[in-house]
Amino acid sequence: MLLLIGSSLVLGGLVFASAIKPLPSYLVASSTISTGTLISDADTVVAEIDLGTLSEAYVTADTATDGLSVTAVIGKGELIPLRLIGTGLRPNQTAIRFVPNLKPADSIVAGSVVPVWQVTETDDGFVPQRIVSVSEVLAIEFGDGLFAEDAPDVELLLNLDQSTLVLAAVAARYPIYVLPLP
């Protein structure tokens, strides 16, 4: 009888101890974090979550993030996956900055996904061509001062094939446009 009572107390103590055990803490994006952005305390909040078997795939509050940047957009409220942080862009990526021929729509901001179009002149007239179907906007910066242009500098994250097409269009001085996706 005494053995039964003792084992019940031990079992009850183990259940209680596991119930009050703190949950692991993970970093969550407090706002949308754009590709290439260095991770900072201002961009993240800590959330206590039990991820079970997925716990190794996400950044914990104890992970050293100094000097690490995001390699793809992380949306507001999302856990930060370890696979999306590093020290730079992925090997097949590059960033190109140019001034489009028209000011981009107000809905296009850093983190937006956009296509890139060019217009060429043929015997039949002007022909629009989509040269990049999907790219991420890293930055949009308007110039300052009296002689600043109406159209901003647009910086896009592109793969190497896409960057070749955009550079060719810039070199040929074709009109280039950045449009929102429908």
Side-chain angles (χ1 to χ4, degrees):
M1 181 71 167
L2 192 56
L3 184 60
L4 184 61
I5 292 172
S7 62
S8 296
L9 287 174
V10 169
L11 184 60
L14 289 173
V15 169
F16 180 73
S18 66
I20 62 169
K21 182 178 124 183
L23 293 173
S25 298
Y26 296 92
L27 294 183
V28 176
S30 59
S31 61
T32 299
I33 305 173
S34 300
T35 304
T37 302
L38 289 175
I39 297 175
S40 70
D41 291 339
D43 297 326
T44 61
V45 294
V46 175
E48 293 180 354
I49 305 169
D50 184 8
L51 295 177
T53 59
L54 299 175
S55 64
E56 299 296 319
Y58 293 94
V59 178
T60 65
D62 299 329
T63 305
T65 57
D66 294 339
L68 295 179
S69 61
V70 175
T71 60
V73 174
I74 299 174
K76 179 180 180 178
E78 292 182 24
L79 287 168
I80 299 178
L82 282 169
R83 65 181 172 76
L84 294 185
I85 62 169
T87 56
L89 299 175
R90 294 180 183 154
N92 67 338
Q93 293 178 322
T94 189
I96 294 181
R97 183 178 288 258
F98 62 93
V99 177
N101 288 71
L102 288 177
K103 178 183 169 190
D106 291 336
S107 62
I108 297 176
V109 295
S112 296
V113 178
V114 298
V116 179
W117 290 77
Q118 73 179 5
V119 176
T120 58
E121 188 174 2
T122 66
D123 294 338
D124 298 329
F126 292 99
V127 178
Q129 299 173 322
R130 184 174 58 196
I131 57 175
V132 175
S133 57
V134 176
S135 63
E136 181 186 343
V137 177
L138 295 179
I140 293 184
E141 295 178 4
F142 287 89
D144 292 334
L146 182 62
F147 298 105
E149 295 185 30
D150 289 337
D153 285 347
V154 175
E155 186 174 4
L156 298 179
L157 179 67
L158 303 166
N159 67 39
L160 297 179
D161 293 335
Q162 293 170 329
S163 66
T164 301
L165 296 171
V166 172
L167 286 174
V170 170
R173 298 185 187 258
Y174 292 138
I176 301 174
Y177 305 97
V178 176
L179 305 173
L181 285 174

